[in-house]
Structures are given as C-alpha cells and as structure tokens.
Amino acid sequence: MVRRRQVLTSLAALAWTGCRGGSSRADDRTIEVDTRWRELRFEAGAANGEAQRALLLVPDGAPRRPVLVALHGRGEAVRGLDAGARGWRDDYHLDRLLRRLQAPPLTSDDLGGLVAPERLIQMNASLQRAPFEGMVIVTPYTPDNRDRSLAASRGFARFLVEQLLPRVRTETGNGMGRQATGIDGVSLGGRLALQVGLSHPEMFGAVAALQPALQLGEAVAFADLAHAAVQKAPLALRLVSSERDPFLPAVRALSEKLDERGVAHEFHVTPGPHDYAWNRGPGGAEMALWHERVQRGLPPP
C-alpha cells in the first residue's frame, strides 16, 4: 500500500507539471463549430494587469438560460490567450457533446467508451425526463500561475466576478441570479473553479471540478474553504475524477474531508485517464448535463 501511494504521488506530480494529458489534440473527425460563439476581448488591466480573452456561447433564449463559466486545463494555458479561450470548443469538442445532449439517447461511443453502463442509463433517464435546453457558456483563458495558492487566485477571481460575468449579462441580456450561475473546469481549471467558486458563493450557486489538480496535503484547506462557503449561501457542489486520474487520491481525500465537515456534495468517478479523450467524452458531458440540471432546479442524474 505504501509503495502504491508513492507511485500515485509521483504520477500526480507529473500531471501537475503537464496537466495536459497524453493524447494529441488532433482528431480525424471534422468538428462542426456552432456559429453562435462570440469572442470577448479584455485589454490589459483585466486580470492581474494582463489582457484576457473568452469565448461566449449564446444559445436561443439566452436571457432565460443558466450561465456556466468553464475553465480549461494547463495544456491550453501554456499556448496563450486565444488557444486557452477556445480550448473547450476547439480542443475538447464541447459543441459535439452539446449536440448529443440535445438529441438523446447518449451512447457509449458519444463518451469515447469511457462510461459505465449504469451511468449511461442514469444520464439518459435524466434526458428523457426533461430535455436538455442548453446554457450560456463562457470559456475564459485560464492563467497558469506559478503560485497556485488561494491568495494568488484572487486576481483571476476578481476578473471573473467584476468584469467577465457583468459582460456576459450585458452581451446576452441574461438576468439569471446566482442559483443559475455555475463554475467548473478541468485539471488546472478545476482547481481554479473550486478556489474562485468557493470564495464567491454570493455569485455562484453551483461549483464543480473535473479531475482538479489537487495535492493530497491540500484536502483540509479546500474542505475548510467549502465549509465556509456553505455557511454564507447554499450551493450545489460536485467533484468528478476518473479511475486513471493521478489526482484521484487527492480528490477522494477532499471528498472525505467534506463528509467530515458535513458539506453536502457529489463525488463521481468515471472510467478513463487524465487526457483529451476524457475531456471530449465524460468530462464535457458530465459537466454540461450536471450544471444544466442543477441550475434549472432539476435533480441531477
């Protein structure tokens, strides 16, 4: 057991350095891009004195749709503002997953084969009970700060809360409140989603993370942050990892600490690795479906 834990810790350290997965971004399928995406530009001074970029998906009925801030991983962060902002659309193929959610039933192939049969049944049952209506989705560039402390995340949090979300409301006419506003992200983005969302429960009613880049020794600090958040306002909280995610031990430890503090949350583990194939399958599908459900006040699958 000790040796296995050492191996897992070593793998997590490697993933922390890369946080981009082992699969190539290239894909032999032609990806159809939704023309409703808009580009948002913020000049220098937007976040920690630096420029920012984001893509914004504006679906039909946007003023009445939930709003989701989706953060990408380190693989896109190191490629610059434009690549980062486009990560969920271009690298993780979010459009394809959204189209499949709107035309169920989902199949195992839709999730790259990385789904347990019982989970697929649950997701399709949810879609049968209530059609997937879509969301306003905004995908900002996620900075890769060398300092990954909570204090260092506050500049990015201020950008999201004070500039990005108000801009989204203006662009879309969306007047939905905090209960219909969520934040999520994968790997580095999952870590930041927890830091930002749990620090601002007055803004986000749903906070979740996909394979968040956490270390075992951080479970207590993140659990304390979550406990403090739910004392201020009720929120839906979720953690998702995968069987071959090197961060799984740390995510599991966080879930256990949340249980100890009585913080209600979901913890879900899917098949699969920590890479692009997972982002393009269960990662994106779980994110979109869960947020659309809970932010509409529907039971999650």
PDB file of all heavy atoms in Angstrom, residues 32-49:
ATOM      1  N   GLU A  32     -17.758  20.232 -36.207  1.00  0.00           N
ATOM      2  CA  GLU A  32     -18.649  21.319 -36.625  1.00  0.00           C
ATOM      3  C   GLU A  32     -18.741  22.353 -35.501  1.00  0.00           C
ATOM      4  O   GLU A  32     -19.099  22.028 -34.371  1.00  0.00           O
ATOM      5  CB  GLU A  32     -20.031  20.758 -36.941  1.00  0.00           C
ATOM      6  CG  GLU A  32     -21.032  21.804 -37.390  1.00  0.00           C
ATOM      7  CD  GLU A  32     -22.415  21.217 -37.619  1.00  0.00           C
ATOM      8  OE1 GLU A  32     -22.510  19.978 -37.690  1.00  0.00           O
ATOM      9  OE2 GLU A  32     -23.373  22.003 -37.716  1.00  0.00           O
ATOM     10  N   VAL A  33     -18.411  23.597 -35.826  1.00  0.00           N
ATOM     11  CA  VAL A  33     -18.390  24.660 -34.829  1.00  0.00           C
ATOM     12  C   VAL A  33     -19.720  25.408 -34.840  1.00  0.00           C
ATOM     13  O   VAL A  33     -20.213  25.808 -35.895  1.00  0.00           O
ATOM     14  CB  VAL A  33     -17.227  25.641 -35.098  1.00  0.00           C
ATOM     15  CG1 VAL A  33     -17.293  26.829 -34.150  1.00  0.00           C
ATOM     16  CG2 VAL A  33     -15.895  24.924 -34.943  1.00  0.00           C
ATOM     17  N   ASP A  34     -20.288  25.596 -33.677  1.00  0.00           N
ATOM     18  CA  ASP A  34     -21.528  26.350 -33.519  1.00  0.00           C
ATOM     19  C   ASP A  34     -21.248  27.826 -33.831  1.00  0.00           C
ATOM     20  O   ASP A  34     -20.369  28.440 -33.242  1.00  0.00           O
ATOM     21  CB  ASP A  34     -22.041  26.191 -32.078  1.00  0.00           C
ATOM     22  CG  ASP A  34     -23.474  26.671 -31.908  1.00  0.00           C
ATOM     23  OD1 ASP A  34     -23.834  27.689 -32.513  1.00  0.00           O
ATOM     24  OD2 ASP A  34     -24.225  26.029 -31.154  1.00  0.00           O
ATOM     25  N   THR A  35     -21.995  28.383 -34.753  1.00  0.00           N
ATOM     26  CA  THR A  35     -21.770  29.771 -35.169  1.00  0.00           C
ATOM     27  C   THR A  35     -22.233  30.786 -34.132  1.00  0.00           C
ATOM     28  O   THR A  35     -22.017  31.987 -34.309  1.00  0.00           O
ATOM     29  CB  THR A  35     -22.494  30.048 -36.498  1.00  0.00           C
ATOM     30  OG1 THR A  35     -23.896  29.796 -36.331  1.00  0.00           O
ATOM     31  CG2 THR A  35     -21.951  29.157 -37.602  1.00  0.00           C
ATOM     32  N   ARG A  36     -22.846  30.320 -33.060  1.00  0.00           N
ATOM     33  CA  ARG A  36     -23.332  31.252 -32.038  1.00  0.00           C
ATOM     34  C   ARG A  36     -22.256  31.631 -31.022  1.00  0.00           C
ATOM     35  O   ARG A  36     -22.513  32.430 -30.115  1.00  0.00           O
ATOM     36  CB  ARG A  36     -24.549  30.654 -31.323  1.00  0.00           C
ATOM     37  CG  ARG A  36     -25.752  30.468 -32.248  1.00  0.00           C
ATOM     38  CD  ARG A  36     -26.890  29.742 -31.565  1.00  0.00           C
ATOM     39  NE  ARG A  36     -26.523  28.381 -31.185  1.00  0.00           N
ATOM     40  CZ  ARG A  36     -27.327  27.546 -30.545  1.00  0.00           C
ATOM     41  NH1 ARG A  36     -28.554  27.921 -30.217  1.00  0.00           N
ATOM     42  NH2 ARG A  36     -26.918  26.324 -30.238  1.00  0.00           N
ATOM     43  N   TRP A  37     -21.051  31.095 -31.168  1.00  0.00           N
ATOM     44  CA  TRP A  37     -19.950  31.514 -30.300  1.00  0.00           C
ATOM     45  C   TRP A  37     -19.525  32.940 -30.649  1.00  0.00           C
ATOM     46  O   TRP A  37     -19.414  33.291 -31.819  1.00  0.00           O
ATOM     47  CB  TRP A  37     -18.741  30.594 -30.468  1.00  0.00           C
ATOM     48  CG  TRP A  37     -18.866  29.232 -29.874  1.00  0.00           C
ATOM     49  CD1 TRP A  37     -19.177  28.074 -30.524  1.00  0.00           C
ATOM     50  CD2 TRP A  37     -18.655  28.854 -28.499  1.00  0.00           C
ATOM     51  NE1 TRP A  37     -19.183  27.005 -29.656  1.00  0.00           N
ATOM     52  CE2 TRP A  37     -18.858  27.452 -28.404  1.00  0.00           C
ATOM     53  CE3 TRP A  37     -18.305  29.572 -27.348  1.00  0.00           C
ATOM     54  CZ2 TRP A  37     -18.737  26.751 -27.207  1.00  0.00           C
ATOM     55  CZ3 TRP A  37     -18.184  28.878 -26.155  1.00  0.00           C
ATOM     56  CH2 TRP A  37     -18.400  27.488 -26.083  1.00  0.00           C
ATOM     57  N   ARG A  38     -19.264  33.737 -29.628  1.00  0.00           N
ATOM     58  CA  ARG A  38     -18.732  35.085 -29.807  1.00  0.00           C
ATOM     59  C   ARG A  38     -17.400  35.181 -29.077  1.00  0.00           C
ATOM     60  O   ARG A  38     -17.162  34.490 -28.094  1.00  0.00           O
ATOM     61  CB  ARG A  38     -19.667  36.140 -29.197  1.00  0.00           C
ATOM     62  CG  ARG A  38     -21.094  36.129 -29.700  1.00  0.00           C
ATOM     63  CD  ARG A  38     -21.919  37.163 -28.925  1.00  0.00           C
ATOM     64  NE  ARG A  38     -23.334  37.089 -29.267  1.00  0.00           N
ATOM     65  CZ  ARG A  38     -24.273  37.819 -28.663  1.00  0.00           C
ATOM     66  NH1 ARG A  38     -23.927  38.667 -27.694  1.00  0.00           N
ATOM     67  NH2 ARG A  38     -25.535  37.695 -29.022  1.00  0.00           N
ATOM     68  N   GLU A  39     -16.542  36.057 -29.561  1.00  0.00           N
ATOM     69  CA  GLU A  39     -15.268  36.286 -28.880  1.00  0.00           C
ATOM     70  C   GLU A  39     -15.366  37.558 -28.038  1.00  0.00           C
ATOM     71  O   GLU A  39     -15.854  38.587 -28.512  1.00  0.00           O
ATOM     72  CB  GLU A  39     -14.131  36.438 -29.885  1.00  0.00           C
ATOM     73  CG  GLU A  39     -12.774  36.597 -29.211  1.00  0.00           C
ATOM     74  CD  GLU A  39     -11.642  36.758 -30.209  1.00  0.00           C
ATOM     75  OE1 GLU A  39     -11.576  37.847 -30.831  1.00  0.00           O
ATOM     76  OE2 GLU A  39     -10.837  35.820 -30.367  1.00  0.00           O
ATOM     77  N   LEU A  40     -14.921  37.457 -26.795  1.00  0.00           N
ATOM     78  CA  LEU A  40     -14.869  38.610 -25.903  1.00  0.00           C
ATOM     79  C   LEU A  40     -13.405  38.948 -25.639  1.00  0.00           C
ATOM     80  O   LEU A  40     -12.618  38.072 -25.293  1.00  0.00           O
ATOM     81  CB  LEU A  40     -15.570  38.319 -24.573  1.00  0.00           C
ATOM     82  CG  LEU A  40     -17.028  37.836 -24.637  1.00  0.00           C
ATOM     83  CD1 LEU A  40     -17.563  37.631 -23.225  1.00  0.00           C
ATOM     84  CD2 LEU A  40     -17.903  38.809 -25.408  1.00  0.00           C
ATOM     85  N   ARG A  41     -13.046  40.217 -25.812  1.00  0.00           N
ATOM     86  CA  ARG A  41     -11.672  40.666 -25.582  1.00  0.00           C
ATOM     87  C   ARG A  41     -11.654  41.676 -24.448  1.00  0.00           C
ATOM     88  O   ARG A  41     -12.512  42.545 -24.360  1.00  0.00           O
ATOM     89  CB  ARG A  41     -11.085  41.292 -26.850  1.00  0.00           C
ATOM     90  CG  ARG A  41     -10.791  40.274 -27.949  1.00  0.00           C
ATOM     91  CD  ARG A  41     -10.283  40.941 -29.218  1.00  0.00           C
ATOM     92  NE  ARG A  41      -9.858  39.939 -30.180  1.00  0.00           N
ATOM     93  CZ  ARG A  41      -8.607  39.553 -30.350  1.00  0.00           C
ATOM     94  NH1 ARG A  41      -7.633  40.116 -29.628  1.00  0.00           N
ATOM     95  NH2 ARG A  41      -8.301  38.628 -31.241  1.00  0.00           N
ATOM     96  N   PHE A  42     -10.664  41.547 -23.610  1.00  0.00           N
ATOM     97  CA  PHE A  42     -10.451  42.465 -22.492  1.00  0.00           C
ATOM     98  C   PHE A  42      -9.013  42.946 -22.575  1.00  0.00           C
ATOM     99  O   PHE A  42      -8.082  42.133 -22.636  1.00  0.00           O
ATOM    100  CB  PHE A  42     -10.702  41.764 -21.153  1.00  0.00           C
ATOM    101  CG  PHE A  42     -12.089  41.209 -20.999  1.00  0.00           C
ATOM    102  CD1 PHE A  42     -12.420  39.965 -21.524  1.00  0.00           C
ATOM    103  CD2 PHE A  42     -13.069  41.926 -20.333  1.00  0.00           C
ATOM    104  CE1 PHE A  42     -13.697  39.440 -21.389  1.00  0.00           C
ATOM    105  CE2 PHE A  42     -14.352  41.413 -20.185  1.00  0.00           C
ATOM    106  CZ  PHE A  42     -14.664  40.164 -20.715  1.00  0.00           C
ATOM    107  N   GLU A  43      -8.840  44.227 -22.595  1.00  0.00           N
ATOM    108  CA  GLU A  43      -7.497  44.770 -22.751  1.00  0.00           C
ATOM    109  C   GLU A  43      -6.697  44.665 -21.460  1.00  0.00           C
ATOM    110  O   GLU A  43      -7.213  44.263 -20.415  1.00  0.00           O
ATOM    111  CB  GLU A  43      -7.579  46.228 -23.218  1.00  0.00           C
ATOM    112  CG  GLU A  43      -8.275  46.391 -24.559  1.00  0.00           C
ATOM    113  CD  GLU A  43      -7.691  45.478 -25.634  1.00  0.00           C
ATOM    114  OE1 GLU A  43      -6.446  45.368 -25.704  1.00  0.00           O
ATOM    115  OE2 GLU A  43      -8.473  44.865 -26.386  1.00  0.00           O
ATOM    116  N   ALA A  44      -5.428  45.032 -21.529  1.00  0.00           N
ATOM    117  CA  ALA A  44      -4.539  44.957 -20.364  1.00  0.00           C
ATOM    118  C   ALA A  44      -5.175  45.653 -19.172  1.00  0.00           C
ATOM    119  O   ALA A  44      -5.764  46.726 -19.296  1.00  0.00           O
ATOM    120  CB  ALA A  44      -3.189  45.579 -20.688  1.00  0.00           C
ATOM    121  N   GLY A  45      -5.041  45.028 -18.023  1.00  0.00           N
ATOM    122  CA  GLY A  45      -5.664  45.544 -16.811  1.00  0.00           C
ATOM    123  C   GLY A  45      -6.853  44.713 -16.386  1.00  0.00           C
ATOM    124  O   GLY A  45      -7.380  44.872 -15.289  1.00  0.00           O
ATOM    125  N   ALA A  46      -7.277  43.767 -17.255  1.00  0.00           N
ATOM    126  CA  ALA A  46      -8.465  42.967 -16.948  1.00  0.00           C
ATOM    127  C   ALA A  46      -8.221  41.983 -15.815  1.00  0.00           C
ATOM    128  O   ALA A  46      -9.041  41.838 -14.917  1.00  0.00           O
ATOM    129  CB  ALA A  46      -8.918  42.214 -18.202  1.00  0.00           C
ATOM    130  N   ALA A  47      -7.097  41.280 -15.844  1.00  0.00           N
ATOM    131  CA  ALA A  47      -6.814  40.261 -14.838  1.00  0.00           C
ATOM    132  C   ALA A  47      -5.351  40.341 -14.454  1.00  0.00           C
ATOM    133  O   ALA A  47      -4.474  40.071 -15.268  1.00  0.00           O
ATOM    134  CB  ALA A  47      -7.139  38.868 -15.390  1.00  0.00           C
ATOM    135  N   ASN A  48      -5.102  40.736 -13.224  1.00  0.00           N
ATOM    136  CA  ASN A  48      -3.722  40.895 -12.758  1.00  0.00           C
ATOM    137  C   ASN A  48      -2.919  41.807 -13.678  1.00  0.00           C
ATOM    138  O   ASN A  48      -1.725  41.628 -13.895  1.00  0.00           O
ATOM    139  CB  ASN A  48      -3.018  39.528 -12.656  1.00  0.00           C
ATOM    140  CG  ASN A  48      -3.598  38.679 -11.546  1.00  0.00           C
ATOM    141  OD1 ASN A  48      -4.095  39.204 -10.560  1.00  0.00           O
ATOM    142  ND2 ASN A  48      -3.539  37.373 -11.717  1.00  0.00           N
ATOM    143  N   GLY A  49      -3.589  42.804 -14.256  1.00  0.00           N
ATOM    144  CA  GLY A  49      -2.914  43.744 -15.122  1.00  0.00           C
ATOM    145  C   GLY A  49      -2.692  43.252 -16.534  1.00  0.00           C
ATOM    146  O   GLY A  49      -2.089  43.946 -17.352  1.00  0.00           O
TER     147      GLY A  49
END
